[in-house]
Every structure is written in C-alpha cells, then in structure tokens.
Amino acid sequence: MSTVAPNSDTARSSDWAFKQLFKLESKCRSPTPALQVEAIGEFPKLLDQFPFPTLVSSAFLKLGDLFRSSPNSLRYHIAQVFGASQQHLAQITQTEELLKRILVVLYSNDPIARVLALRLIGNASLIFAKFPEAQHSILLRYQSSHPLEIVAAVQTTESMLSYSPEFLEVVWETVLSKADDPDVLDSVRVQLIRSLQHAAPNLMLSTLLYSHCQHWACDTDSTNIIRCAAMDTWKAIIQRHNELQSVDAKHISGYVLHDLASLRRSALALLGKWKPKGQTVDASCLNEIQQRLTDCLHLPADSNMTIVGFGELRLAATVLARIEVACGNVNASQSWLAAYKYAARALEVFSDTTFATSSALSLNMSGQSSANDRPGIDPVYRLLISSVMLVINISTILDSSEYRSVTATIVRDSWLAITKRGESASEARYLRRFLRKSWSWCKSMRVESSVIAALQDMVGSLSKPVTCQVINIGSSTRYFDCIAGVCRNNMERFVEALNLSNLADCNSRAVWHAISVALACQKRHLKSALSSMAVNAISQWSKHLYSLIDQPDQHVKDFSASGPPAWMFQIIMSLLSANGYWSTLHELCQAPPMHCLSSNIQSWFYAVSNIAVAEASVSNITLYTELTDMSLRTLRAMDTQGTPCSYRLFLVQLRRELVCLHYEWSYLQTGHSTSPAAHFVAKSLAGRTRSLASQTELVCGTFSLIDTDTRKWLTQTQQSLQRAMCTFDAMSTKSTAANSDIFDVQNVATAALSALGEQSLSFCPGSTFLSEPPQPTIFIESRPDLDSGSSPFTVFTGTEFHFVIEGFLRLPQCALPATPQQIRIAVWLSDRPFGSSNQEFQVCSEY
C-alpha cells in the first residue's frame, strides 16, 4: 500500500492522511511479520507528505506503543523510523508520553531490548536530550556488563550531548572513568573521548580535560587511534585560559612525521592552535619544532600533489609561518617558499589541463545546472584555489610588503588562468568564494593594482564567476576607467559587424561582457555615453535577429554565433529592467529562436515581454492592466506546471495594484468631490492602500533573500503607502472633530498622491525579479471541523504558520509575525493573481 496521495482531490483534505495512518496501524498489528515491517517503513513517507503537528504526534505515539509491545525484530525497524524522520520530531506535542513508552522497554530485563531503546533515544535526542528521566536512564546503562549495551549507551550519550551539552556534567565522572579504562575497547574509548569535545563551553570542565588529553596523547601505552581522538578533543577545548604550552607542542610535533596520515593530520591540526608569539619559548624548542615542520613540508616533494597531502602542507606551513614570525626569520621563510612552490606548480598543472565547455545556445533560464555538469569539484580547480589561498594566508602572517606584492601577482595569474576555462555548477560556487576572498584581500592590503591591470584581459571570460566579478569591479567608479576603453572597442566592433551582417567572427562573450559592465555602471552611477552605446547595441542586435524570424536556419546560426550564454542573457535582462530600459528589454525577449526553446522558457520570455511593454506604457492604464494580467496568467500557468513563480506573482500583482491606486487617486482628484459616491470611493481607496502596505511588508518578510535593489524599492513603496494612510487618517480625524462625516475628497486625493509621489509609477526591481529566490515550502492543513464558520480562514500559530483553509495552497513561509489580515491577503494573491482586483481586494481586507 502506498502512502502517496493518488490525486490532487484526495490531497485537499488531511482526512486522507489520518485514514492512511489508521491503515498503517492496523497493518502493524497484523500477525504477518512482513506486513508489519512494510507498514513501519511507510511511516516516514506519510510524515514527509503531511507534516502536520497533529498527524506527527499521533504517528509517533502509535510507534511508541508498538515499540513497547513488539518483539525486538520490529523494535529495530521502529528505531530506524525515528532516525529517518528526525526533521519531524520537533512537531511532537506529547514528548513526555512518548518517552514513558520508551523507558518501559529501557528498564526491561532483556539486554537487546534495552540496546534498541537506547538506539531509539539516541535517534530522537532532539526531543529527549533535556529530560532528566532520559539522562538518568542512560547513566544507569554504563553499569551494565553487556558489551552491546555499553556501546549503545556511549553512542546515545554522544547524540544527547549534541543537543544538550549540559548533560556532560551528569555523565562527566562516568565518561572519564570509562575513557581511562584500558579494558574497554579502543573503539568505545575513542567515542567517549570525542564526546568530551562538548566540554569546550564549560570553563571548569575544559580546564580539567586539558590534563586528561595530555595524558592520552603523550602516554606511551596509548594506541594511535586513542592519540588521534585525544588530539582532536584537545584541539576543541583550546581557549585563552588553557592555551597549548610549548612543551606539549614540542611533544605533539613529533607526530608530524609519523607514517599514519590520520595521526599526522591530528597533530598538525592541534599545532594550528598553538600561538608561540605570545609565549616565552626556549629557542632550542622552537628550532626543533621548526625543523620537524620544515621536514614535513619537503616530504611530498617527490610525489604527486593530492588534496589530502596538500591539507597537511597547509597546516604545516601555517604553523611554521607563526614560528618564523616568533623567531624573526621572516626574510628567509621556508613556509613562504613551500607555499609559493606549490602555488606555481598548481598553476602550471591547471594551465595544462583541458576542460570541457558548454554550448552557447543551450538556454536554461531557470538557473539550474544541466545534466552534463560533472559531479563534485575538479581536483585541479581545488588545488589551484587552495594553493593560492595558502599563499595569501602565509603572506598575511609574515606581514612583509615583498611577499604581499608577489602574492598579488599569483592572484592575478590564477584569475587569468581561470578566465580561459569553463566550470561545472559545483565548481562555480567554489570559484565565487575564492574570487570574492582574494579580491577582498588585495583591497585590504592595497595591492589590487596587479589585478586591475589584467581586467582588460578578463573581458570575455569563459568562466561565469570571473565574468560576474569583473562586472562588479569594472562597474565601480574607482576602476571603471581601467576597463571602459576595451568595452567601448568591443561594442563598436559589434555594431559594425551588425551593420555588415557579418557576425561569424565577433567575440560574443567579450561583447556581452562589455555591455553588462556598461549597464551595471549606469545602475550604480549616472548614465554615460557607454551605457547608451550598450543599449543601442542590444537594440540593433535584437532587431537583426527578429528580422530573421522567417529564416529559421539563419536565425539559429546568427544567435549561436553572436548571442550570450543563458546566464549572461539573464544578467542583461536584469540590468535592463533595473535601469528602466523596458522597450529594449521587450526587443531582447523577441530575439531568441523560440522554436528551439522549451515551452517553459518560451512562456517565461512571453511573460517578461508583456511586463516590459506594460511598464513602457504605464501612462496608459487600460493597456497596462491588460498586459500585466496577461503576464500574470502566464506566470500562474508556469507555477502550476512546476516552475516556482510565487515571488514574481506577488511582486507583479503588488506593482499592478500600486499603479491602479495611483491612477484612481488621480481620477478622484480631478473629478467631482462633493457627491456621496466620491466619499465612498475615497474610503475604499484608503482601505486598499492600507492593505497594500501590509502586503508589501509581508513580501519583504516572506522572501528573506530578496536582492538589495528590490528590497529598497519595496521599502520605499511601503513608506509611501504608510505616509498616504497617515495623511488620510489625519484628515478623517480632523473632519470627525468638526462633527462632520464629510471631508474634502479632492484635498484627500491630492495629499495621498503627494505622499505616494512618483514612486508609484517607477519600478526598479533587482536581479531576483527575474529569478525566483529560495523559499521553504509551507504546508496548509484542511480541517473544516476547526473552522468557527464566521470566516473561511483560520490561523494556527506556533513555530510555523499553518493555514487552515479549504484546500491546499502552496505559499512561502512567513518569517515575520504576520496578522491574520496579512495572511488572508497572501492567500488571496496566491489564489487569485488576476481578475477584478479592486473589489476582491476590498472584500478580502474586510475579513
């Protein structure tokens, strides 16, 4: 039996979920063991599909009853369900009742049953960790003579400490005695020693643990795995009050040349916490540690460079650099020589490696990685970036102007090498972080001139992260002049090629990169001749391609030869919308060969094109609303088909209502203000203005990852709406004080328009307007029996919002404490994104 809802109609009510829960419970009581195991395995699927607190609590309580009365074979599977459904444990409302059912088994006479109970408590440590009954019962299990029970108690202790570090004070003596006991298995001792890392926040316990770690790591009778665990725990508890002493560092440094790689890494990681500069250290001790680390740096010289070997090199070089600073040996630094050597080698290997590149025509406007992307990060990328970051780290520690200058040159060379290569999606995330950090370091050390001088060579890069970084740098006021010349030349050659209809030899990446820099510069500063040239180039290219719509083969050929990659196409669209070039954006949306694109991408271009035409004709309210409604219908269809569009739907609908309010206030200002209908309309507009201000606040709070520009526009819109409402309230209060229900509608409309200002007619979205920001899914539970009948909406409050309404709606999670009115507006916008918004919005705001 499957627990997946067979169709959308059955999924509209949580009654179906509870029926499935009862069926699973019946099967769990079956005398056939196979059916019982199958039913227990269906619980995680049911909870994933319907994560409602009432259902989750009922399901886990039933599992607790089964665990108490079932044989050990089924208890094992029930414990596995608790581990597989940990994300739902926080919604259990009757934790104490569930714990009582488990403790009945934990205090039984069957050691295997007690082991399974301990496993279950460990899997559910999230909710059981702070209960004294659970802590005491685990402590008693250490007195058992059964080896499996001891192992289970240790594992459960480690799980409990992750959620309740205070539990360590309860089991402190017991854990230390077991960890010191040589008769206990080394695997168990290792788990116990590692669990003691949770003593780090406790000043007293971490001080006491220092000597124990010293004993475990330095004792000649300790095995290597005990030493590794001791060093890892020792590293975790190193703080200002118990810093690693030079004598201990000398002993630990003896393991950096050990044959066991794990022991070497643990020793180097521990030495990384040592600060010799702030201690009085004997010179012979420093020299001995320095010599060992120098030998460690030269060990991998005769072998191929690997990620694991480089990790040891990084740790050893960092510690050696600190020692050299303490000894004053900065000018003849062995750590710098080793780091420079491996960075040069990594750069050479990277330059000689062949990478695959992607096609320019494969438009993927969703921003998702393609199926051809290589999984994981290429080791060559990782070695280059890690070696360059090591050079940066060493030069920062040594604090020498000579080293900083050489490091800036290495950063520049690495950027130029990456410029010529493509990358997969996972490598792009890694590269973005590297580019951002290396550029920040160059600016902080005032050595960015080396990178700036090479910016012109990076225009037209095959790497998306490098392209975005160059756009960010080149569009700033400080560095724009360094790249403006090459951008102008690229665009002039591109326009010339368009006039000659010869696009085969143009460097399309360099052209679109230059266009992006020019548009980004205007977005951050004032309009320039270069931005006008960029807009003109886009317009000519779009018109040229649109003229080939009747020649499909030539259309595809020219687009492939001169068009930007999909991700740069989206950047250009975002910059055009942010700068207000809506007509050019409309022309750009007509350029791609639509017959080669998927229906989803065609719909997206159609929606954006309608929005662009609507914004370009915002002075014509009839045409504006017609085009906006067409775009909303397209976005709604895309959202229904699986492409997330909730954010764009909310934003476009909000923008539409804002423009309508502006024109209706303007009409009221110029119309007859003495009729009773005018007063009614003014009150209606005021209610809609107030509701729109609430909706703006809801969008800002719901989508936490909105870009800065869009959030700024939303904030300004909200402030304008609030000013308009304050003005209306003040005039209403004044008329009430004068014992009159009639107010001057024309003055109210004039004041409202003055408060709204030109903000209501300007739309300045950022980059997230064309790409849906991440959002968690919110689940809406249909429970008609809880509805009071006075309103079709009921709201649950708690850790998450659960909207109890008729049917399922897919809404974003609301992070701010929203009012029921705000939530109902959100429901209305999600359910009815187009139509006669004026009356429906007014009706909705009256709930």
Side-chain angles (χ1 to χ4, degrees), residues 368-410:
Q368 303 295 327
S369 58
S370 64
N372 297 325
D373 285 339
R374 298 183 302 277
I377 301 173
D378 196 306
V380 179
Y381 268 101
R382 196 163 188 173
L383 279 174
L384 174 65
I385 294 173
S386 300
S387 60
V388 176
M389 291 305 298
L390 175 61
V391 173
I392 291 175
N393 189 23
I394 297 300
S395 65
T396 303
I397 295 174
L398 297 177
D399 195 17
S400 169
S401 58
E402 180 183 358
Y403 293 149
R404 287 196 295 267
S405 178
V406 177
T407 302
T409 304
I410 295 175

Side-chain angles (χ1 to χ4, degrees), residues 273-291:
K273 289 282 189 174
W274 183 40
K275 298 178 180 178
K277 189 175 181 180
Q279 299 181 9
T280 303
V281 187
D282 183 60
S284 61
C285 177
L286 278 178
N287 292 334
E288 185 173 353
I289 298 175
Q290 186 175 359
Q291 184 59 45

Side-chain angles (χ1 to χ4, degrees), residues 426-657:
S426 56
E427 291 163 352
R429 291 190 294 269
Y430 198 61
L431 285 176
R432 280 195 297 269
R433 185 177 179 185
F434 162 69
L435 295 171
R436 185 173 62 252
K437 286 194 171 185
S438 58
W439 174 247
S440 298
W441 180 86
C442 289
K443 288 199 301 181
S444 64
M445 295 297 172
R446 305 192 178 204
V447 291
E448 70 272 22
S449 57
S450 297
V451 177
I452 295 301
L455 278 183
Q456 295 184 4
D457 298 329
M458 300 180 195
V459 175
S461 170
L462 296 176
S463 171
K464 177 182 176 181
V466 172
T467 300
C468 296
Q469 187 70 17
V470 172
I471 292 173
N472 184 45
I473 297 173
S475 60
S476 62
T477 307
R478 186 175 180 181
Y479 307 115
F480 177 68
D481 293 338
C482 301
I483 199 175
V486 67
C487 292
R488 181 179 292 103
N489 293 337
N490 277 304
M491 287 188 287
E492 287 176 350
R493 287 195 297 267
F494 183 59
V495 172
E496 182 179 354
L498 282 172
N499 293 332
L500 298 176
S501 299
N502 182 19
L503 300 175
D505 298 331
C506 70
N507 186 352
S508 60
R509 280 184 177 267
V511 170
W512 291 106
H513 197 169
I515 290 173
S516 301
V517 171
L519 292 176
C521 180
Q522 178 182 348
K523 178 183 174 183
R524 300 172 67 171
H525 313 291
L526 297 177
K527 184 176 180 180
S528 63
L530 204 60
S531 60
S532 301
M533 185 183 299
V535 173
N536 179 57
I538 296 174
S539 179
Q540 288 193 38
W541 178 79
S542 302
K543 291 176 181 178
H544 169 74
L545 288 180
Y546 188 73
S547 66
L548 300 175
I549 194 171
D550 296 331
Q551 308 174 39
D553 294 339
Q554 187 65 32
H555 193 180
V556 172
K557 180 180 178 181
D558 282 9
F559 184 86
S560 301
S562 61
W567 54 268
M568 192 177 289
F569 203 102
Q570 192 159 354
I571 289 176
I572 299 292
M573 294 172 66
S574 300
L575 291 173
L576 287 174
S577 63
N579 289 319
Y581 292 117
W582 296 105
S583 299
T584 308
L585 177 59
H586 168 65
E587 294 175 349
L588 184 64
C589 291
Q590 308 298 315
M594 296 298 175
H595 61 281
C596 295
L597 306 179
S598 65
S599 58
N600 189 35
I601 297 179
Q602 292 183 33
S603 300
W604 169 232
F605 276 121
Y606 177 74
V608 175
S609 178
N610 282 330
I611 293 174
V613 177
E615 292 298 331
S617 57
V618 70
S619 57
N620 187 338
I621 186 62
T622 304
L623 180 60
Y624 176 85
T625 54
E626 180 183 352
L627 292 171
T628 305
D629 289 343
M630 291 168 61
S631 178
L632 285 169
R633 280 192 288 269
T634 305
L635 291 174
R636 171 58 60 184
M638 292 174 60
D639 191 72
T640 305
Q641 295 170 4
T643 302
C645 294
S646 301
Y647 166 69
R648 284 166 283 190
L649 280 167
F650 280 18
L651 206 60
V652 174
Q653 178 65 29
L654 187 152
R655 166 66 176 163
R656 181 190 185 280
E657 182 67 12

Side-chain angles (χ1 to χ4, degrees), residues 802-816:
H802 294 271
F803 307 130
V804 186
I805 60 176
E806 282 294 336
F808 270 63
L809 296 178
R810 199 161 59 78
L811 293 178
Q813 184 175 9
C814 184
L816 80 164

Side-chain angles (χ1 to χ4, degrees), residues 684-724:
S684 175
L685 289 176
R688 287 168 54 191
T689 304
R690 193 186 307 275
S691 298
L692 191 61
S694 300
Q695 175 61 21
T696 307
E697 179 185 0
L698 181 65
V699 172
C700 290
T702 299
F703 300 94
S704 58
L705 298 180
I706 301 177
D707 62 274
T708 305
D709 294 326
T710 305
R711 185 172 294 277
K712 179 180 178 181
W713 178 80
L714 287 171
T715 302
Q716 292 175 349
T717 300
Q718 183 182 6
Q719 292 173 352
S720 299
L721 292 169
Q722 289 175 346
R723 284 197 302 269

